[in-house]
Amino acid sequence: MELKENRIQFRKTLYFRLIIGLLFLGSTFFAALFCIYSMSCRQFEEELTYHSNSLTEQICRNVEVTLREMSEKAIPLEATNERFGPILREVRTAKNYGLPSYLRLRIESRLEEFMSMDYDVRWMAVVDRREHVYLICHDSRVRGDMPDVQDVRNIYAANKENLADRQGNTVWNGRPGMDGAVMMRMIFDSDTMSFCGAIMAEVESDPLKEIFRGIDSSRAGTFTIYDRNGQVLYSTGELDAEDDRDIFRAEYPISKGKLTIVNEVDIGQKNQKSEDLLHITVVIGLLVFASPLLFIWIMCGKRAKNMQILL
């Protein structure tokens, strides 16, 4: 009985209380560390959103001005209406059994005239009310990149509702696999006071590239311009993120909602340095708190059983 009463209970020793104190300090340290990290991430996302909004607002204004200049250069509003309106009115009144060849030649001649004024135009086409397509391509272009009549008709059909919405405005469309931008607009006949067809043209996207040339994608992320149909009009690249949850995505409408600019930033990549620092701090903290625990357990554990040190 006496040996049993004199046996030291480890939970009542000073060393057990030291271990509990170290565990408490360690848990408090790591909890504070993770709270600081989560607050830093939240603050980083807020600052990223603010800077992204400021940068993208300026980009949106530049894109709108550039697209307006590209449209007015390739298919100027007044000139296209004056040149094609009277011809398409004759086409509209022509008999259904066939289109006079001289009207087709006049339309193609006008298209060649417009294409000669802007070499950035890859091809140009006119679609009348009967959806007859008049297509002209640059001879120096690669034929594989040029659409045929059916491709133009499909593009027109896909954007027919967009053209009918606020007729006379320019509608932009992206071609899958091509880096050009297709613009189209209804042609207005001032004599009959009605729209009599549509004009379409594909232009090089070099003016859009100039807008994003000075932007560092590693900091600002990637920018993609989408048309109303969800086709890519222009893109600075794609993110190579392992997890979609690490991507910060923001959408900005431009041209009164006719186009959308999407800014994507890989937050995981930007937080990589902070995560590496966190891992190093955790490892060092574990070593710092594990070393005294091991020392107490190994060096003083056996002595505590033989010493009657009670608090």
Side-chain angles (χ1 to χ4, degrees):
M1 291 293 295
E2 185 178 353
L3 292 175
K4 187 176 182 180
E5 292 177 356
N6 293 332
R7 184 178 301 172
I8 295 176
Q9 298 181 11
F10 182 68
R11 289 182 299 177
K12 296 182 179 180
T13 62
L14 174 64
Y15 304 104
F16 177 76
R17 298 185 181 185
L18 288 174
I19 292 174
I20 294 300
L22 287 173
L23 290 176
F24 174 76
L25 291 176
S27 60
T28 303
F29 169 77
F30 288 116
L33 182 64
F34 283 108
C35 288
I36 294 173
Y37 176 74
S38 60
M39 292 176 62
S40 300
C41 290
R42 191 179 302 110
Q43 181 68 23
F44 171 75
E45 291 182 5
E46 292 177 357
E47 293 180 357
L48 179 64
T49 303
Y50 173 76
H51 290 297
S52 177
N53 290 338
S54 301
L55 176 62
T56 310
E57 285 177 1
Q58 181 62 42
I59 291 176
C60 289
R61 288 192 291 268
N62 294 340
V63 169
E64 284 191 77
V65 173
T66 301
L67 292 178
R68 192 180 303 114
E69 293 176 350
M70 292 170 61
S71 173
E72 197 59 31
K73 181 181 179 182
I75 50 174
L77 178 62
E78 294 183 3
T80 51
N81 290 338
E82 291 176 358
R83 296 297 183 88
F84 292 103
I87 304 177
L88 292 180
R89 183 176 68 248
E90 294 184 39
V91 172
R92 187 176 185 180
T93 57
K95 296 182 179 180
N96 295 328
Y97 59 78
L99 178 67
S101 58
Y102 75 91
L103 291 178
R104 178 176 293 275
L105 291 175
R106 287 176 61 187
I107 294 175
E108 293 176 352
S109 175
R110 293 288 190 273
L111 289 174
E112 291 178 353
E113 180 183 347
F114 277 98
M115 287 189 63
S116 64
M117 295 187 299
D118 187 1
Y119 188 75
D120 291 335
V121 177
R122 296 179 175 179
W123 56 266
M124 189 173 288
V126 167
V127 183
D128 61 23
R129 282 297 187 180
R130 301 176 184 178
E131 297 192 3
H132 293 158
V133 177
Y134 313 89
L135 175 64
I136 293 295
C137 302
H138 267 303
D139 295 334
S140 59
R141 304 291 184 179
V142 180
R143 302 305 300 177
D145 295 340
M146 297 297 105
D148 55 21
V149 172
Q150 187 58 42
D151 292 334
V152 175
R153 188 175 287 113
N154 292 338
I155 296 175
Y156 174 77
N159 293 274
K160 204 170 184 178
E161 293 183 1
N162 298 333
L163 288 170
D165 182 17
R166 301 184 66 179
Q167 296 180 349
N169 290 337
T170 302
V171 176
W172 291 88
N173 185 78
R175 290 180 63 200
M178 300 297 175
D179 60 350
V182 179
M183 66 180 75
M184 60 193 77
R185 185 176 59 236
M186 299 294 291
I187 298 175
F188 183 75
D189 181 18
S190 58
D191 292 338
T192 60
M193 299 299 292
S194 63
F195 291 93
C196 53
I199 185 169
M200 306 167 60
E202 182 178 18
V203 295
E204 301 284 352
S205 57
D206 292 340
L208 294 176
K209 293 179 182 179
E210 290 296 328
I211 297 176
F212 301 95
R213 190 179 299 278
I215 298 176
D216 187 2
S217 59
S218 62
R219 294 184 177 182
T222 61
F223 293 88
T224 305
I225 304 176
Y226 292 94
D227 61 18
R228 279 188 175 182
N229 301 326
Q231 299 289 344
V232 176
L233 189 67
Y234 176 78
S235 178
T236 59
E238 296 182 358
L239 290 179
D240 187 16
E242 297 180 356
D243 192 349
D244 292 340
R245 292 176 296 180
D246 293 336
I247 296 179
F248 170 81
R249 180 185 176 92
E251 297 184 1
Y252 305 87
I254 60 174
S255 298
K256 299 180 180 180
K258 291 182 289 187
L259 296 174
T260 302
I261 291 184
V262 176
N263 178 215
E264 293 181 336
V265 182
D266 188 354
I267 299 179
Q269 182 180 5
K270 288 184 172 293
N271 286 338
Q272 189 63 43
K273 294 182 179 180
S274 300
E275 291 181 358
D276 294 341
L277 180 61
L278 175 65
H279 295 160
I280 294 173
T281 306
V282 170
V283 172
I284 294 175
L286 287 174
L287 292 176
V288 169
F289 286 102
S291 298
L293 292 176
L294 291 175
F295 176 79
I296 293 174
W297 184 264
I298 295 175
M299 302 300 296
C300 302
K302 293 182 179 180
R303 294 182 182 181
K305 295 180 179 180
N306 299 324
M307 295 174 61
Q308 295 183 1
I309 303 177
L310 300 176
L311 297 180

